[in-house]
Amino acid sequence: MQPTFSAPSTSNISVRRGEPLVVIDHVEKHYGDLHVLNDINTVVNRGEVVVVIGPSGSGKSTLCRAINRLETIDSGTIAIDGEVLPEEGKELAQLRADVGMVFQSFNLFAHKTVLENVTLAPIKVKGMKKAEAERLAMELLDRVGVANQAQKMPAQLSGGQQQRVAIARSLAMNPKLILMDEPTSALDPEMINEVLDVMVGLAEQGMTMIVVTHEMGFARKAADRVLFMADGQIVEEATPAEFFSRPKSHRAQDFLSKIL
Ligand code: ADP
Ligand code: MG
């Protein structure tokens, strides 16, 4: 089934499009001797779709994890919607609720139904009533084309369906931003497009997204900007058209020659 999209009734996206939403300023992180994030600076505006690409080990996942504080940073700041991410505490839980995260490996709760996977956080974190959370969940599952799977367990679904549930689950918190770390890398080839279609739909709707992916079709179609990372640094930042046709750095030229 092809996912279809309509503006969700509960969404606050597209509001104040264009203002800075994520401000990353002089961020540094080491793992022992490894300089995994080396002076990272960038701004992601509301409604912008940023694709992060680069060789394995360049720090892409660490950057994503730093943005919702699954990782600490050594120095610098990351601010989301004007609030600098705290180290810990209650504000951190709130900020994390504002940032959806979709991982390579789906990470659904295996012992809960698809519907429960989507309703859990709205009920627990936002205190939403069960009936309301279920109504919202069904709307979101319908948007990603898996409403008919709501009563199943995750293991009964294909990888592509599970990843679409994971996207619905992140949308259920009405996040200001969605981070996706290689969301299609673990999928069988025939399932990649059904997930990319959902991602393109979200982008077209104005969701702010930071997506680590090597799916150039998605980058060309949906990205406003590509960040190319190597050795913990943002080496190049350009529009997809510029980046893919005229990469400036040797690192980017070399990387693209291997994947295109
Ligand atoms: P990417 O997502 O671009 O492949 P990562 O951010 O996962 O890169 O990793 C960047 C580098 O940091 C790699 O060399 C990786 O081995 C190292 N690394 C990642 N997580 C840890 C950790 N928890 N402890 C030590 N080294 C790590
Ligand atoms: Mg990674």
Side-chain angles (χ1 to χ4, degrees):
M1 196 197 310
Q2 276 304 314
T4 53
F5 275 83
S6 56
S9 53
T10 47
S11 176
N12 62 4
I13 60 183
S14 297
V15 185
R16 293 184 290 156
R17 192 181 174 116
E19 286 177 13
L21 181 67
V22 184
V23 179
I24 301 176
D25 190 41
H26 294 300
V27 166
E28 302 276 349
K29 182 173 179 73
H30 295 79
Y31 285 123
D33 291 339
L34 180 69
H35 204 167
V36 63
L37 296 178
N38 183 352
D39 197 21
I40 300 290
N41 297 281
T42 196
V43 174
V44 178
N45 292 319
R46 229 175 268 274
E48 210 180 4
V49 176
V50 173
V51 160
V52 181
I53 73 173
S56 178
S58 56
K60 305 179 300 294
S61 293
T62 305
L63 179 61
C64 279
R65 293 167 60 81
I67 293 171
N68 71 346
R69 268 296 192 269
L70 292 169
E71 295 281 358
T72 57
I73 53 177
D74 299 341
S75 60
T77 57
I78 301 175
I80 295 175
D81 209 6
E83 309 251 9
V84 173
L85 297 196
E87 284 302 324
E88 53 195 81
K90 213 171 168 189
E91 302 83 33
L92 183 56
Q94 178 54 48
L95 278 168
R96 234 176 236 157
D98 286 341
V99 181
M101 180 101 192
V102 174
F103 300 90
Q104 180 175 339
S105 53
F106 324 142
N107 291 30
L108 296 176
F109 306 114
H111 302 291
K112 299 202 177 288
T113 64
V114 163
L115 183 67
E116 287 164 348
N117 263 275
V118 183
T119 58
L120 189 74
I123 292 171
K124 285 223 159 152
V125 180
K126 290 202 162 169
M128 199 180 275
K129 294 241 162 52
K130 187 166 176 237
E132 191 191 348
E134 287 183 348
R135 187 197 53 73
L136 171 67
M138 289 309 298
E139 181 187 317
L140 293 170
L141 289 171
D142 187 48
R143 280 173 65 202
V144 301
V146 291
N148 54 353
Q149 311 294 319
Q151 299 307 331
K152 291 193 182 160
M153 303 306 283
Q156 296 174 275
L157 273 57
S158 71
Q161 289 172 324
Q162 288 187 55
Q163 194 60 306
R164 285 184 281 147
V165 173
I167 293 171
R169 183 175 63 175
S170 73
L171 291 172
M173 291 298 279
N174 199 12
K176 292 176 178 168
L177 163 76
I178 294 192
L179 296 168
M180 297 191 180
D181 191 1
E182 304 208 29
T184 60
S185 315
L187 297 175
D188 291 334
E190 72 272 21
M191 291 169 192
I192 291 177
N193 280 333
E194 67 193 45
V195 174
L196 291 177
D197 285 348
V198 168
M199 292 161 57
V200 169
L202 279 182
E204 285 173 349
Q205 249 186 264
M207 176 58 82
T208 311
M209 299 164 76
I210 299 176
V211 183
V212 179
T213 185
H214 294 158
E215 290 290 336
M216 299 304 138
F218 173 78
R220 285 177 192 278
K221 208 185 284 182
D224 296 297
R225 192 150 46 100
V226 172
L227 296 187
F228 174 73
M229 285 185 73
D231 295 332
Q233 291 179 296
I234 296 176
V235 175
E236 233 171 294
E237 204 168 338
T239 63
E242 277 171 340
F243 181 75
F244 294 122
S245 57
R246 289 183 300 281
K248 292 193 190 75
S249 63
H250 283 295
R251 293 298 303 260
Q253 287 162 10
D254 182 52
F255 177 74
L256 288 173
S257 73
K258 286 175 184 146
I259 62 163
L260 290 181

